[in-house]
Amino acid sequence: MTDYIIVGAGPAGCVLANRLSENPANSVLLLEAGGKDWHPYIHMPAGFAKMTKGIASWGWSTVPQRNMKDRVFWYTQAKVVGGGSSINAQIYTRGNARDYDAWEKEEGLAGWGYRDVLPYFKRAENNQRYANDFHGDQGPLGVSNPIAPLPICEAYFRAGQEMGIPFNPDFNGAAQEGVGYYQLTQKDARRSSASVAYLKPIRARKNLTVRTDVLVTRIVVEKGRAIGVELVDRPGGEKKILHAEREVIVSSGAIGSPKLLMQSGIGPADHLKSVGVTPVHDLPGVGSNMQDHLDLFVIAECTGDHTYDNYAKLHRTAWAGL
Ligand SMILES: Cc1cc2nc3c(=O)[nH]c(=O)nc-3n(C[C@H](O)[C@H](O)[C@H](O)COP(=O)(O)OP(=O)(O)OC[C@H]3O[C@@H](n4cnc5c(N)ncnc54)[C@H](O)[C@@H]3O)c2cc1C
């Protein structure tokens, strides 16, 4: 019997699997719908350009967006060990400190103010450049500056400063405003995903089992308590039930977590009934209040050969790869 079942091996699931299995008395089962993170593009930082085109993702798109002339957008969400950290742009950003403070002060989320979460960020980090009030260098997650910046970046920063925008060497430090280099979740020029940082070093732990290609279809609730999960472990296969002695942890992502909760009857009861799901726990907030950011690109033509664009030619890509 397993003590903890964790659904979803994204960053949240990988970190929890690592921390919970630190205690050899706990048995931990980590379930992931996607496969292993074997693909070489995952580990090569520049492979990101290919990731958003569908490798290791669910293949979802949005409903037509009524404020954008009903356009339908690709909505990339990871389906692989490491979750988003295996396919994302590797920008090391914590967001704005004031957002955390607003969660605490305006929404009443005790313990989520920036001063409360900062020690956890520091504990996670193996920052190759900073060790100070905002950064740690002893954690598992590799964080570093870009290793091959181009002169055009410096020209852009100078132009920003000429317009009065300050140069900022650290967007996760005292202030977020300014122009400068992002730090990246990379170590020694390789992606430092949650899988690489939190699972790889503990492969030998006997009390942690990681199962891939397992789709959890429902959380099993008995007498108001989550006691296990229902899953399918091969396409077209029969549903099986696994029991958790202590806890079921839902770390299935911004879309996957509410989806799984709602499939399990946890969510707004009236809505669940209207789509044929029997409610087991009326929880109105589930499946709403999503906040996300759009990516906007400004594309400009350069006066010469100043960017990485040149490497889009096959022979130069091969050379850069070597
Ligand atoms: C294209 C892209 C670019 C991004 N760029 C950046 C960036 O540069 N910097 C940054 O900080 N953040 C970035 N992000 C966001 C970041 O990756 C996410 O915030 C982070 O991965 C969320 O972690 P998570 O563990 O909550 O969920 P996820 O990473 O979404 O992981 C959830 C996991 O659960 C699995 N799962 C879901 N449902 C089930 C189920 N029913 N059964 C079994 N398994 C299931 C999924 O397959 C997935 O692997 C980006 C995200 C994307 C998609």
Side-chain angles (χ1 to χ4, degrees):
M1 174 75 92
T2 308
D3 291 316
Y4 295 93
I5 296 180
I6 304 174
V7 187
C14 291
V15 171
L16 285 167
N18 180 311
R19 294 276 185 264
L20 287 167
S21 63
E22 258 168 22
N23 180 349
N26 290 335
S27 59
V28 181
L29 175 62
L30 178 59
L31 301 174
E32 168 55 45
K36 297 202 171 88
D37 55 338
W38 60 269
H39 202 292
Y41 282 155
I42 290 177
H43 302 285
M44 258 186 241
F48 167 68
K50 304 278 180 196
M51 298 318 293
T52 48
K53 299 206 173 103
I55 296 171
S57 105
W58 287 84
W60 289 330
S61 47
T62 67
V63 295
Q65 297 296 296
R66 67 170 177 271
N67 297 316
M68 300 186 94
K69 297 188 175 168
D70 284 336
R71 277 175 70 182
V72 169
F73 292 88
W74 265 10
Y75 199 87
T76 306
Q77 288 288 289
K79 189 180 179 189
V80 63
V81 169
S85 71
S86 289
I87 68 157
N88 71 18
Q90 303 148 85
I91 295 167
Y92 180 66
T93 180
R94 301 169 181 175
N96 196 292
R98 279 179 296 185
D99 285 335
Y100 295 90
D101 292 341
W103 289 347
E104 184 184 39
K105 293 199 180 89
E106 289 162 31
E107 312 291 340
L109 260 182
W112 280 90
Y114 192 63
R115 72 183 174 287
D116 299 307
V117 297
L118 184 57
Y120 294 97
F121 280 125
K122 289 173 70 176
R123 178 176 167 179
E125 251 182 301
N126 180 351
N127 202 306
Q128 315 266 277
R129 171 155 293 186
Y130 302 115
N132 56 28
D133 287 348
F134 295 97
H135 296 284
D137 60 352
Q138 300 296 314
L141 182 70
V143 178
S144 59
N145 275 50
I147 56 155
L150 296 169
I152 192 171
C153 304
E154 301 292 337
Y156 182 82
F157 302 153
R158 283 195 301 277
Q161 289 171 89
E162 281 168 18
M163 288 183 67
I165 302 170
F167 179 76
N168 187 342
D170 180 12
F171 297 119
N172 299 299
Q176 205 179 35
E177 188 194 355
V179 288
Y181 291 110
Y182 288 117
Q183 283 207 296
L184 302 163
T185 43
Q186 291 172 9
K187 189 177 177 185
D188 303 331
R190 311 289 282 172
R191 180 190 287 270
S192 184
S193 68
S195 163
V196 168
Y198 286 88
L199 291 185
K200 207 172 159 193
I202 57 160
R203 263 191 202 142
R205 281 188 197 162
K206 299 244 179 322
N207 59 335
L208 171 66
T209 308
V210 182
R211 286 184 63 187
T212 51
D213 302 297
V214 173
L215 179 69
V216 174
T217 47
R218 189 168 61 93
I219 302 157
V220 183
V221 179
E222 228 178 65
K223 294 183 190 145
R225 211 184 118 79
I227 56 149
V229 295
E230 178 191 78
L231 57 86
V232 177
D233 55 8
R234 60 188 163 80
E238 280 194 5
K239 287 184 174 167
K240 296 176 185 162
I241 289 190
L242 294 181
H243 289 100
E245 193 80 335
R246 297 177 77 170
E247 286 184 31
V248 174
I249 294 163
V250 180
S251 53
S252 313
I255 306 293
S257 289
K259 179 173 180 284
L260 180 59
L261 290 170
M262 291 167 95
Q263 283 170 200
S264 312
I266 301 167
D270 288 342
H271 171 69
L272 293 178
K273 277 187 225 150
S274 76
V275 294
V277 176
T278 308
V280 299
H281 183 47
D282 181 20
L283 207 54
V286 176
S288 52
N289 303 320
M290 162 89 162
Q291 291 186 22
D292 203 353
H293 66 91
L294 285 177
D295 236 353
L296 297 180
F297 294 89
V298 177
I299 299 177
E301 199 169 326
C302 293
T303 53
D305 179 13
H306 304 307
T307 73
Y308 286 135
D309 228 23
N310 222 343
Y311 289 90
K313 293 173 196 115
L314 187 63
H315 67 286
R316 293 206 59 178
T317 307
W319 177 239
L322 282 173

